[in-house]
Amino acid sequence: MGIVTMFVLMFPIIMLNGTYTGSMLEVSSTLGILSEDITMGYYAAAAGMAVAYPIIPKIRAIATPKTMLLTDLILQIFLSYVCAQVGNMDITIICSFFIGFLKAFIFSPKNVRSEFYAYFYPIVFSGGQISMALTSQLAYYYQWQYMYYFTILLMLIAIIFILLFFRYAKRPMRIPYKEIDGRSMFIIAAALLFSIYIFTYGKTLDWFSSPKIRIYTIAIPILIYLFIHRQRTQEKPYVSLKPLHHHKSIIGYTFMVLVMFFSASSSLITNYLNSIIRVDSVHANSLSLVLIPGFIVGAIICFWWFRWQRWRFRYLISGGMFCYVIYLVILYFGITPYSTYEMLYFPVFLRGLGMMTLFIAFGVYVVEDLDPKLMLSNAFFLISLRSVLAPAISASFFSNLLYYLQIKGMNTLSEHMTLTNPLASSRYAQAMNSALAQGHGYDEASQLAANNFYSTLQQQSLLLGIKTVIGYLLIAALVIL
């Protein structure tokens, strides 16, 4: 019964978030907001989780597991209901931050062994993919709020299981306000959220043309300096900086950021699905489910690799990077205007396999010689870099690079698209005759033909930009390999 209770408790939490990217299109069109608002809320939840990790031992010391879980789930239900009902994205982003903050108290193991990562990572990452696919289904067929109501229902069921099957125990409740460094938490939370804001809204607000971005850019290094200074001067710092003095930690963090950059190439596939082969949001988000078999295979490989320890660590890393190389090769040569949705199954599976292998491998590598007392500090830096900053920076990087390449490709293609070009003339005449046959007047038909031609050029320039970015990534993967 304990295993069932654990599953009932974990299932809603791994899918829970403040904003759901799977319903981005429906929420944007319903509330009239930017898609960046949804993305900001999604990253804010990860920032909240990072900020919470260092204070978990202090909270665990003053509350029983039953009390902590019940309090956590009740607060999560309240915040989820607020997110579902309030159309103000500023409030939703704040709630998302606190949802992530509360999730950390459930996703915090006491003892970490190498085999643990082979269990934990695939469960957590698979939950995210299931959440994305389920959200798109509920938003498409019903309303975007239904995902919040679904997770609320699951959390209510989890509360019933906790009340029935967790032992009753008394422990004196004394919240250690003096031991919790609220100033440090506020400083680093502001630094993370300001960083997310800059990279998420940068293209939309034209970067430094925005007063907010200019202010935040100046504030971030000041906040980081204040945070580091405070940790060095406090007798009991909020987070220890010692993991940053270990060379294995630095190497592990760096490679995890690189892995997130390669994984962020999924945005290129999304652009290809939406704009080139034109699939709906349900199918575009359901493709993420193909990652789950890759996660499972990667976890099994890592589990037995660390259990047996017969081969060198570098071979495991090379195997994970090789999966990314094959994934990028298939995309580079496989995506065309006439490719099929099913063609993406195998490369997406390989991305899941490579991603899980490398995450588990470097997760173990970082903590291999680390003092157990520094595990939560390590988790803070790991989540801040891997789950907060790296996704925001990589998504912004690919978005801006693809936009630049698309404009450049558009200019290059349009230079030769005149009526003196036989191919262009033929396509224009075909569209013109089709519009005339539908009963449109000459002027209207001419405008429709020009629009059709412009749409074709846009698709071609986007496809050219996607293949160029994938080519750059492939070269980078080969260099790392």
Side-chain angles (χ1 to χ4, degrees), residues 26 133-144 146 280-283 286:
E26 288 78 9
L134 181 60
T135 301
S136 64
Q137 293 273 352
L138 292 173
Y140 186 82
Y141 291 108
Y142 302 100
Q143 290 183 347
W144 60 269
Y146 276 56
D280 55 51
S281 61
V282 173
H283 285 84
S286 296

Side-chain angles (χ1 to χ4, degrees), residues 11 29 80 102 132 147 184 192 202 230 256 268 273 300 342 370 389 435 443 456:
F11 186 63
S29 59
S80 296
L102 293 168
M132 188 181 298
M147 186 60 188
S184 293
L192 290 173
R230 188 168 178 82
M256 282 199 175
L268 303 176
L273 290 172
I300 293 172
E342 291 74 18
L370 200 64
L389 297 178
D443 292 338
T456 302

Side-chain angles (χ1 to χ4, degrees), residues 160-437:
I160 293 172
F161 269 74
I162 292 170
L163 291 172
L164 292 176
F165 301 111
F166 270 63
R167 290 183 301 175
Y168 174 76
K170 284 187 176 181
R171 188 178 295 178
M173 289 289 292
R174 184 188 62 84
I175 300 176
Y177 293 108
K178 294 182 179 180
E179 297 179 20
I180 297 176
D181 189 357
R183 290 184 183 177
S184 293
M185 294 173 66
F186 177 79
I187 291 170
I188 197 60
L192 290 173
L193 291 174
F194 287 173
S195 300
I196 296 169
Y197 184 93
I198 290 172
F199 290 107
T200 301
Y201 291 96
K203 189 176 77 171
T204 305
L205 300 179
D206 195 20
W207 295 101
F208 294 106
S209 297
S210 167
K212 279 188 177 181
I213 290 182
R214 290 199 298 268
I215 293 170
Y216 292 167
T217 303
I218 296 171
I220 288 169
I222 297 173
L223 291 170
I224 292 175
Y225 169 77
L226 291 174
F227 178 76
I228 294 173
H229 176 72
R230 188 168 178 82
Q231 306 321 301
R232 286 178 173 174
T233 55
Q234 288 285 96
E235 183 180 349
K236 293 182 178 181
Y238 159 71
V239 63
S240 174
L241 301 179
K242 290 181 181 179
L244 300 179
H245 300 156
H246 290 258
H247 71 281
K248 283 190 174 183
S249 298
I250 301 299
I251 294 172
Y253 298 156
T254 302
F255 269 91
M256 282 199 175
V257 169
L258 289 175
V259 172
M260 283 307 303
F261 261 84
F262 285 112
S263 298
S265 60
S266 59
S267 63
L268 303 176
I269 297 178
T270 303
N271 274 289
Y272 172 70
L273 290 172
N274 293 335
S275 303
I276 306 298
I277 61 177
R278 298 187 181 279
V279 302
D280 55 51
S281 61
V282 173
H283 285 84
N285 287 288
S286 296
L287 187 64
S288 62
L289 295 176
V290 184
L291 289 167
I292 296 177
F295 292 162
I296 295 171
V297 174
I300 293 172
I301 291 172
C302 289
F303 177 84
W304 289 108
W305 191 285
F306 291 115
R307 174 64 65 87
W308 289 337
Q309 295 186 352
R310 295 180 182 176
W311 303 282
R312 292 187 177 181
F313 181 74
R314 68 179 66 179
Y315 297 150
L316 183 62
I317 302 301
S318 299
M321 286 307 304
F322 184 71
C323 289
Y324 272 106
V325 169
I326 301 301
Y327 154 73
L328 293 168
V329 167
I330 294 173
L331 290 184
Y332 186 80
F333 293 103
I335 57 173
T336 67
Y338 312 106
S339 296
T340 62
Y341 175 81
E342 291 74 18
M343 181 275 296
L344 296 169
Y345 287 168
F346 184 61
V348 171
F349 166 81
L350 288 176
R351 178 163 67 88
L353 174 58
M355 177 181 172
M356 188 53 54
T357 301
L358 293 173
F359 274 164
I360 294 174
F362 283 111
V364 174
Y365 179 78
V366 167
V367 302
E368 197 170 24
D369 299 323
L370 200 64
D371 187 338
K373 295 180 180 179
L374 301 177
M375 288 298 180
L376 290 175
S377 295
N378 171 69
F380 166 79
F381 292 115
L382 190 63
I383 296 174
S384 297
L385 292 170
R386 185 199 66 202
S387 302
V388 181
L389 297 178
I393 295 171
S394 57
S396 176
F397 173 78
F398 285 125
S399 175
N400 283 274
L401 180 59
L402 185 60
Y403 178 75
Y404 167 77
L405 291 172
Q406 186 178 4
I407 296 298
K408 182 180 178 181
M410 191 75 177
N411 291 334
T412 303
L413 292 172
S414 61
E415 288 177 359
H416 306 287
M417 293 297 107
T418 64
L419 293 178
T420 58
N421 185 316
L423 179 61
S425 178
S426 174
R427 293 291 295 269
Y428 180 82
Q430 183 180 358
M432 181 80 170
N433 293 332
S434 176
L436 289 171

Side-chain angles (χ1 to χ4, degrees), residues 60-79:
R60 274 185 172 165
I62 57 98
T64 63
K66 184 174 184 177
T67 301
M68 190 167 67
L69 289 173
L70 287 174
T71 305
D72 193 296
L73 288 172
I74 291 170
L75 291 173
Q76 296 276 26
I77 289 172
F78 171 74
L79 292 171

